[in-house]
């Protein structure tokens, strides 16, 4: 791959960043083996960077009623509805890893109604899609449906908040033309490779 | 007005909140004369509260190429497209005050194309609406149009980021059924009252 | 406010109008204290003016199953769906007065589902919105739902006909760029002012 | 054909109608050879009937820059966009007669862009469709385009007003389930029959 | 009528076509009295012509649970949703003939919900419209609804496949600007003419 | 992966199929190493199977102005617009192989405007998307734009016809709930694997 631009806006040099942001980025690099472009693109605005990742970690990293894989399903499904290349590719990779399922991300991205997920997860994504595309129509009936699938009200807040955060994220990625790192495309597809290689 | 519910979710008692959040809320109350409900509703989740207001202040309170009134125009126009009652009513009030114009908020909320704003401001809102409703279609041509109206690339980031933050905020307000405080409805309409009272 | 244009088309001089139209306009002025611009803009075509106000009065001024405030709710909700600045602002004022409720017009304009109105009124507006946006889909089921809320068939005709008349009116206001009079913005917000002034 | 219901609402007996309405209906019957159902269905509400036909005649029967066939094209194209069976069938018949063209009504109803009409007429229908479906977006550019096709501002008012009146009419026809008379389907197709019969 | 172009693309001379295609066309001409333009327009690509008509005959000419008139209803309703002038006009004619009903094609083209068809046929067209406009949302519930109207699973395949084939056909007709033959407009309206002529 | 259902309809046993269809399927299996499910699902209807693959081969396998990779881009982009899981996953694999580019399929599936493709290819996909979603609006201007990118009229037919064929295919895959074979997900991603393995 050629060294394509990763943003329509200037991308700061890591060395020139405020210390806390540089630390965050180096820690991610240490863990993932590369720096996901969202960190570099958003670092153009340090205060917004800090707020975004604080919000992100509050929703995506905590314990709670939704599994981490389920949170990533919400991101993939709604980001696809928003035509956000970065979020579908990057969070598709994370979903494959967290779900330990190499197919589910592509399935959810194209049509979650036919993905290898549970009816409860489909109800979760039905609601997330409503929040993503016509949140003004959300009413008590949506809460009742989700409660019928054993989601608590706190879970419902989580579904809505993750969808809302990525409504923000998708728009920033689309306007900055944020480019997904090449590394994401193959991540989490390894179980099938492994299986093939064991023969 | 009866003491209507302000959220579908539990609303914390101010006294029971973490000190930093309580301080934020008391400071707002001191300045505005009341506590806007968004502070109480989002305080249900302290970490998300902190991230949201950090993001908000980074975009809405700083200096920059967009006037504070213009930033509120973006909020009002895009929140109306998202059917968000809280944001249209609350930020409509702030827009009236910041623009010192008692009519502009209602005009922008219903149809910004016919509001008492400049052609440059209409171009700004055209772009904000594209980001709000089909951000995947944003391309170089949109940037060229805005540069032709003397918006810098940093201004364009601001327009996009404000739209994106309220894409998040509108969805949370719609899902929580966040109720606008009664106080907002009349705020900033005073110039006309003053005029009437001088007789 | 500057003396902005109130129409893209010529606005006749009141003195030059046919006597019946001049009389209508002077009577409204007498009652309201000003001439709502819709009278001046539509007077450009006297025959259409007469037909429009005859239709209007037949639906909005008569007795019947819908209260006058409810008829104005229909106008405000559907005119907002049609992005009609004149009708939302002018009929928002009338709604505030007829409902004796200073908040309801702004609530209905942004998202009637969350307005301070009864479930029966929400069902009324659900139907009005269907008539406004996809009348070809109206079927027996819609009638059954409304009958279940104690609307008679004559009431249903009224809801549909008011929606239909403002489908016409919204389009004329949008094409003529009909400007709402400044007076409308503050009308009917007085109860709150009064309350403040009593202290 | 069986005597199908022509309205969801009561249809008055002609003899029981107010004299002026009865006269109107008998005159139409005299001229057309049958009573178009719109007269019977709307006569359920005499005041609305009078206002509707006054409006209709002011726009459809007068002299002016648009030919009578062109006015019917507007009705057929926009009524098709509104899924209004009565108006497409009835005004399709009138269009065939007024245009002396047995094919044009079906062409315009399905896709006016490919009908046997002039580029000026296509520009007229482009505008009518915008007024029918998103009138809030009408702006100066639309006026300029139409003036470039030699439409006067009075013609533009006519295009808009006809579209607006049938926005009303389509909604009433859809809600009342107004049935087109069987006679309309074959009217104006005679030139082809005549041609066949001359052999 | 003038000899209008029937396609944006070259139309082959019948004599120059491969023998099998020429035979197909001459057979149709023999039966119908004219060559429907779809045969001439698609003959520009012989292999695609053969595949299209093989598909068409497999679905439209065989025996099965759907009557031939019902299959044409599906074509007319979904082709209207796709703004396809050729298919609505040509298959409208065939529908009139197969249903022996001179009104049904125009009714179905404008709004099938109000056509003179059975509730079972309306359910069939509800499903066809879903397949035409949002097939990704088709789920088990749609199958259950159709089974409740006594459609077998093979019938459901037929409804879907006919809709799918005309999704293809409508797009080719729209892109080639395929012109309906003048003959179609009056075909199948004869019962009414016959009735008139018996006097 | 568990042996999930590949169709809502019965899937024939290969041995029981007509000889020509069995031969086709065995030949594909020989070449690909597995039988893509579309062959098994559509074999439920042999005549439709034959017509579909004849059409497919006439468009996808011949020589012509569009490269084979470009034809697959059209399939992936428009199938994504139609929410068709089978076609996006299966043809995404073929696109990766034909383009020798492991990233392009996922990019095109989510947002072709930001894919690593040429401006000419973006113009091609702009047109394909118009044909997929609003073919009734296609006009001379679309042809001019494509000619400006050096597409011949025959190329334009190809773009339209491929889009049209997959409009059919997407609808059949969605209604049958056709399941993509697990093998497709990893196909064509090998260059990256190869690169990793060289270390």
């Amino acid at each position: 791959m050629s060294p394509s631009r990763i943003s329509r806006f200037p991308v700061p040099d890591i060395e020139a960043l405020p210390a806390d942001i540089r630390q965050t980025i180096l820690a991610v690099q240490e863990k993932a083996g590369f720096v996901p472009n969202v960190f570099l693109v958003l670092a153009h605005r340090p205060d917004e960077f800090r707020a975004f990742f604080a919000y992100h970690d509050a929703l995506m990293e905590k314990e709670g009623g939704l599994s981490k894989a389920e949170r990533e399903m919400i991101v993939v499904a709604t980001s696809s509805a928003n035509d956000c290349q970065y979020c579908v590719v990057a969070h598709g990779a994370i979903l494959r890893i967290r779900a330990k399922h190499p197919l589910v991300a592509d399935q959810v991205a194209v049509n979650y109604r036919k993905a290898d997920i549970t009816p409860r997860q489909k109800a979760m994504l039905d609601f997330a899609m409503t929040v993503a595309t016509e949140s003004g129509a959300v009413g008590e009936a949506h809460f009742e449906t989700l409660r019928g699938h054993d989601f608590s009200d706190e879970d419902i807040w989580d579904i809505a908040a993750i969808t809302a955060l990525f409504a923000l994220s998708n728009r920033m990625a689309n306007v900055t033309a944020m480019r997904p790192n090449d590394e994401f495309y193959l991540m989490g597809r390894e179980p099938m490779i492994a299986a093939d290689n064991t023969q």
Side-chain angles (χ1 to χ4, degrees), chain A:
Chain A
M1 285 324 103
S2 67
S4 305
R5 283 177 69 193
I6 67 167
S7 174
R8 279 201 182 95
F9 291 85
V11 176
D13 186 37
I14 293 180
E15 296 313 305
L17 286 168
D20 63 317
I21 292 179
R22 193 170 58 240
Q23 282 310 107
T24 298
I25 292 178
L26 294 176
V28 170
Q29 186 174 31
E30 174 82 17
K31 183 172 171 198
F34 64 97
V35 183
N37 289 335
V38 65
F39 288 90
L40 300 174
V41 173
L42 294 188
H44 175 58
R45 294 274 184 101
D47 287 345
E48 298 168 39
F49 177 104
R50 292 182 188 103
F52 179 79
F53 288 104
Y55 221 132
H56 178 277
D57 292 352
L59 288 167
M60 304 302 283
E61 304 298 339
K62 69 163 186 176
E63 298 304 305
L66 305 180
S67 73
K68 288 188 178 175
E70 285 168 345
R71 294 176 219 182
E72 298 295 331
M73 283 178 202
I74 295 168
V75 178
V76 171
T78 62
S79 297
S80 180
N82 288 330
D83 298 334
C84 180
Q85 203 175 80
Y86 185 87
C87 296
V88 171
V89 171
H91 287 271
I94 304 174
L95 171 53
R96 284 191 294 270
I97 291 170
R98 295 199 163 172
K100 300 190 198 325
H101 188 318
L103 310 185
V104 70
D106 295 342
Q107 293 171 343
V108 166
V110 185
N111 193 337
Y112 72 92
R113 298 179 197 86
K114 299 190 178 169
D116 293 337
I117 58 176
T118 66
R120 183 175 182 269
Q121 289 166 339
K122 285 182 192 171
M124 174 187 80
L125 294 180
D126 282 341
F127 179 64
M129 293 297 258
T130 299
V131 175
T133 60
E134 47 165 350
S135 65
V138 169
E140 200 54 33
H142 294 93
F143 279 67
E144 284 311 314
T145 298
L146 289 169
R147 288 173 193 139
H149 282 280
D150 275 329
F151 287 104
S152 71
D153 279 22
E154 292 305 308
D155 296 337
I156 298 174
W157 177 298
D158 283 337
I159 301 169
I162 293 167
T163 303
L165 178 62
F166 282 86
L168 179 161
S169 177
N170 294 167
R171 283 159 180 78
M172 289 311 295
N174 277 331
V175 173
T176 59
M178 190 184 291
R179 182 182 173 83
N181 305 59
D182 292 2
E183 287 86 346
F184 285 125
Y185 291 80
L186 201 57
M187 278 173 57
R189 301 191 188 272
E190 294 83 358
M192 293 175 78
I193 303 174
D196 288 356
N197 289 353
T198 53
Q199 293 164 20

